[in-house]
Amino acid sequence: MQYDIYFVLNSAYIKFGKIFLESLHDKVNVKNVRNIYLSDTGLNDTDKKYVESFDRVKVVDSGIVTNFKGGSWGEDWHKTVASKTIILRELLNNNDLPIMMVDGDCMFINDVSDLIDNNYDIQICHRPHVHHCPYLASFVVLQPNQKAKMFLDRWIEIIESTKVMENELIKAKESPALGFTVSELSNQVSTQNVEFDIVS
């Protein structure tokens, strides 16, 4: 089965991006991967040439440039997270294959093709033991259908309307918003929980 892979990267995270791309091409059967979409959120020219040297990589302009000077939960980090699902929506709206979104600081240790199940609209990394945030946006698969698009639209709405503060910083909201979306749309969208120890 063919599918696309999507991740986000800037030069501040290029060490992770190298591990991501090199392990992907080493462990994943790329014959099943049509495109590897990379949302560029601040790659310098050298790093951009490096990622484009890999087969099937298509760099997508995110419209933002970040370097994570503020660290996790800083302004650049939030800009990147906010752009991630918006670019994903553009890709999904113009796609005819499942899209697997994986965090750019992940490493592939096995082929992931067999994880995709067309019987579900959405597949998500699940941590049943973490009650306050049982779903992680580090691994999400969306089918190219209207239910998955509706889910993604609602996920983006919840991300944009959520603001949780801790120690005067805005907390991460991508994964909590994902959990809220799963709960809200459980009767309308078929979701498969992919266990944390398999994909993250």
Side-chain angles (χ1 to χ4, degrees):
M1 173 204 310
Q2 277 215 307
Y3 63 102
D4 291 334
I5 292 176
Y6 167 64
F7 73 114
V8 177
L9 191 65
N10 63 15
S11 285
Y13 261 47
I14 192 62
K15 288 180 182 177
F16 297 109
K18 288 179 178 180
I19 292 168
F20 183 102
L21 285 168
E22 289 171 16
S23 65
L24 191 161
H25 281 80
D26 181 45
K27 299 295 184 182
V28 173
N29 182 356
V30 291
K31 289 180 182 176
N32 295 327
V33 180
R34 180 180 60 181
N35 294 310
I36 303 165
Y37 292 112
L38 187 167
S39 178
D40 176 3
T41 58
L43 289 170
N44 62 38
D45 289 343
T46 301
D47 292 338
K48 191 169 181 181
K49 283 178 185 173
Y50 167 80
V51 299
E52 288 177 331
S53 71
F54 283 88
D55 189 32
R56 303 175 202 272
V57 168
K58 295 191 179 303
V59 176
V60 179
D61 182 8
S62 70
I64 63 170
V65 176
T66 60
N67 58 27
F68 294 164
K69 279 186 180 175
S72 293
W73 300 2
E75 184 179 350
D76 275 3
W77 187 81
H78 280 290
K79 279 185 190 174
T80 300
V81 169
S83 76
K84 185 174 166 184
T85 47
I86 291 168
I87 298 296
L88 177 60
R89 179 167 57 189
E90 289 179 20
L91 295 174
L92 188 64
N93 283 338
N94 295 288
N95 219 44
D96 58 353
L97 290 178
I99 298 179
M100 179 183 292
M101 180 174 74
V102 182
D103 275 357
D105 57 0
C106 289
M107 180 175 95
F108 294 86
I109 58 172
N110 287 305
D111 188 27
V112 291
S113 308
D114 61 348
L115 294 174
I116 298 174
D117 189 335
N118 291 334
N119 293 309
Y120 297 94
D121 301 312
I122 311 284
Q123 296 171 268
I124 310 171
C125 176
H126 184 233
R127 305 181 298 177
H129 56 285
V130 183
H131 300 294
H132 71 282
C133 189
Y135 291 96
L136 275 186
S138 60
F139 174 89
V140 179
V141 178
L142 299 104
Q143 292 293 329
N145 63 36
Q146 289 306 313
K147 288 185 176 181
K149 291 173 186 177
M150 175 185 71
F151 181 96
L152 183 54
D153 285 342
R154 183 59 184 142
W155 183 16
I156 291 169
E157 285 175 3
I158 295 173
I159 289 172
E160 291 175 345
S161 64
T162 302
K163 188 172 183 179
V164 180
M165 302 295 291
E166 184 173 296
N167 298 327
E168 298 183 8
L169 288 172
I170 301 174
K171 281 186 67 174
K173 50 191 177 179
E174 180 189 31
S175 290
L178 180 58
F180 291 137
T181 311
V182 171
S183 296
E184 184 179 304
L185 299 180
S186 61
N187 293 327
Q188 300 174 61
V189 177
S190 60
T191 303
Q192 182 189 39
N193 295 339
V194 184
E195 294 313 311
F196 176 79
D197 59 354
I198 295 174
V199 293
S200 187

